[in-house]
Amino acid sequence: MRSRKQGTGPGTIGNRQWPGVIERYRAYLPVSPATPIITLLEGNTPLIHSRALSRRLGRGMSVYLKYEGMNPTGSFKDRGMTVAISKAVEAKSVAVLCASTGNTSASASAYAARAGLRSIVLIPSGAVALGKLSQALIHGARVVVVDANFDACLALVKSLAQGHPVTLVNSINPHRIEGQKTCAFEICDALGRAPDYHVTPVGNAGNITAQWKGYTEYRRRGRITQRPAMLGFQAEGAAPLVQGRVIKHPRTIATAIRIGNPASWQGALAAAEESGGAIQAVSDRQILEAYRLLASEDGVFVEPASAASVAGLLRLAQAGYFKKRATIVCILTGHGLKDPERAIKSIRLARPLPPSLSAITKAAGLK
Ligand code: F0G
């Protein structure tokens, strides 16, 4: 057993403090001793073996879930935000700005609060899950609700950033991509190799771009020998990369990925092509099925957009896509508590009963 002296405070892992992604992967990130590190100890998220999915796929498959909802603000965005906000402080910025379907704004506002920076977020009206909105508000962001979709909000923040002394922290900021590539590093560190397949939801396409960059850098530095096939999934009504054209009015219940003109379009296509993978679409029905399956069979609660990876996994498995005995990692990008309304809508809640033992016994399904 290790000495208890090695750190027993909050955030300790096996008696040793996890330092956050910048300190853990400093040699791979654009920071110097002069960079003030703004961290909430993001990263080190669980890589959970899914018995339910491995069994369902059969043929000796091992399916793992990289539960990015376990980051400090409940999504993978924190990996990129620790780098983007640290660099913004280093550059003496006083305010950060983003457009968001919710998670970027939650993360930006939390890290900005910690750094003592102002944050301004533009969000599409009526299209952001309540948990995410509550995060931006309570962290003190200036929340501007726009009567337009995410793509229009992104165009607006790009213009605003040109005319004002603010740092844009959407994933077009390269520091975001740098931080987010650490997800691939953690997967390789945990498995001792890269998986055969890496399955991930795609919206603005920064994350798949970042993850591919991570695998590529780990191979270049000799940490892995093979890179995975990258499989990205969009929602059918918001699948510009699959259709090869901008979608003016993207539609899907997975609001996080309701995006019709992804900023990292080329990055996502390159990841799929260079890795021998693909970008495909899944229907809202398939997303919701995967969403319920993860919660009810694996005990893992994610937001709908995150379930797009597992919906895609099941679709490809049914088509016989995967080679035998493959190791597959599905990225679960955000926590289910971001969008409790969706869970409640998915499962019917019975009417309240009088506090009578016989009525309650019956309702509880007990004899
Ligand atoms: N999953 C979740 C939960 C997300 O919030 C996002 C993106 C994605 C997947 C897609 O990642 O954009 O890098 O392809 N959310 C952004 C936001 C757009 O504003 O929070 P991507």
Side-chain angles (χ1 to χ4, degrees), residues 47 64 66 68 180-188 191 194-202 207-215 227-233 271-272 275-279 309-310 313 316 321-322 326-333:
L47 185 68
Y64 291 87
K66 181 67 170 162
E68 290 287 275
Q180 282 171 214
K181 74 189 179 191
T182 60
C183 179
F185 297 166
E186 285 181 16
I187 292 168
C188 297
L191 295 175
D196 299 303
Y197 303 94
H198 175 109
V199 192
T200 192
V202 174
N207 210 27
I208 191 168
T209 303
Q211 293 158 348
W212 181 236
K213 189 166 195 284
Y215 287 117
R227 295 176 298 177
M230 302 295 285
L231 301 167
F233 286 92
S275 71
I279 312 279
S309 56
V310 171
L313 170 85
L316 289 181
Y321 176 87
F322 298 108
T327 299
I328 307 173
V329 173
C330 293
I331 309 297
L332 303 179
T333 46

Side-chain angles (χ1 to χ4, degrees), residues 74 93 135 195 216 329 357:
S93 182
Q135 288 177 288
T216 300
V329 173
L357 191 57

Side-chain angles (χ1 to χ4, degrees), residues 75-77 99-105 132 150 170-171 180 201-208 256-257 259 303 305-306 333-334:
S75 85
F76 69 92
K77 306 286 180 181
S100 184
T101 57
N103 282 322
T104 299
S105 59
K132 305 174 189 182
F150 169 83
N170 279 104
S171 57
Q180 282 171 214
V202 174
N204 211 24
N207 210 27
I208 191 168
I257 53 172
I259 293 174
E303 63 170 290
S306 303
T333 46

Side-chain angles (χ1 to χ4, degrees), residues 23-367:
E23 291 304 352
R24 174 65 183 82
Y25 295 111
R26 184 175 266 275
Y28 296 83
L29 294 170
V31 292
S32 75
T35 313
I37 305 304
I38 308 300
T39 180
L40 289 164
L41 306 184
E42 59 295 311
N44 195 33
T45 55
L47 185 68
I48 304 167
H49 181 254
S50 169
R51 263 223 316 245
L53 289 169
S54 301
R55 234 184 244 158
R56 202 171 276 244
L57 263 62
R59 301 170 64 235
M61 305 285 182
S62 294
V63 179
Y64 291 87
L65 307 169
K66 181 67 170 162
Y67 195 13
E68 290 287 275
M70 292 300 283
N71 274 297
T73 78
S75 85
F76 69 92
K77 306 286 180 181
D78 296 342
R79 295 181 183 278
M81 211 52 78
T82 182
V83 181
I85 299 288
S86 297
K87 295 302 284 185
V89 174
E90 185 179 4
K92 307 253 183 299
S93 182
V94 293
V96 297
L97 171 70
C98 68
S100 184
T101 57
N103 282 322
T104 299
S105 59
S107 185
S109 54
Y111 282 78
R114 192 163 178 85
L117 302 181
R118 287 177 51 214
S119 57
I120 306 159
V121 307
L122 267 64
I123 59 170
S125 172
V128 168
L130 219 56
K132 305 174 189 182
L133 181 58
S134 68
Q135 288 177 288
L137 291 170
I138 201 70
H139 289 306
R142 174 74 60 98
V143 177
V144 183
V145 182
V146 185
D147 191 13
N149 65 22
F150 169 83
D151 301 295
C153 291
L154 186 60
L156 284 164
V157 294
K158 281 192 209 166
S159 303
L160 279 174
Q162 276 171 9
H164 298 86
V166 293
T167 303
L168 190 62
V169 293
N170 279 104
S171 57
I172 45 180
N173 178 331
H175 298 132
R176 281 276 315 280
I177 302 291
E178 291 300 308
Q180 282 171 214
K181 74 189 179 191
T182 60
C183 179
F185 297 166
E186 285 181 16
I187 292 168
C188 297
D189 290 348
L191 295 175
R193 50 167 286 210
D196 299 303
Y197 303 94
H198 175 109
V199 192
T200 192
V202 174
N204 211 24
N207 210 27
I208 191 168
T209 303
Q211 293 158 348
W212 181 236
K213 189 166 195 284
Y215 287 117
T216 300
E217 288 183 12
Y218 244 30
R219 190 185 61 167
R220 193 182 311 131
R221 299 232 197 163
R223 303 297 303 261
I224 53 172
T225 51
Q226 303 278 344
R227 295 176 298 177
M230 302 295 285
L231 301 167
F233 286 92
Q234 302 198 291
E236 232 166 54
L241 298 175
V242 179
Q243 297 199 11
R245 63 183 174 92
V246 170
I247 307 294
K248 270 228 175 81
H249 303 290
R251 296 163 75 101
T252 166
I253 52 99
T255 51
I257 53 172
R258 189 184 287 170
I259 293 174
N261 187 14
S264 298
W265 190 300
Q266 290 312 324
L269 292 186
E273 199 183 300
E274 290 167 19
S275 71
I279 312 279
Q280 295 192 359
V282 283
S283 69
D284 280 5
R285 226 178 90 193
Q286 290 170 322
I287 289 174
L288 287 175
E289 270 169 27
Y291 169 74
R292 282 192 290 259
L293 191 146
L294 278 166
S296 63
E297 294 189 9
D298 266 323
V300 177
F301 188 24
V302 300
E303 63 170 290
S306 303
S309 56
V310 171
L313 170 85
L314 293 172
R315 229 189 81 145
L316 289 181
Q318 214 162 38
Y321 176 87
F322 298 108
K323 66 178 189 195
K324 273 191 215 159
R325 284 182 288 283
T327 299
I328 307 173
V329 173
C330 293
I331 309 297
L332 303 179
T333 46
H335 203 288
L337 289 171
K338 294 270 188 177
D339 192 358
E341 283 177 313
R342 172 55 59 187
I344 291 164
K345 261 189 224 158
S346 307
I347 312 289
R348 216 167 353 130
L349 188 61
R351 278 200 318 271
L353 290 174
S356 113
L357 191 57
S358 64
I360 302 293
T361 306
K362 197 168 154 227
L366 300 168
K367 291 233 170 99

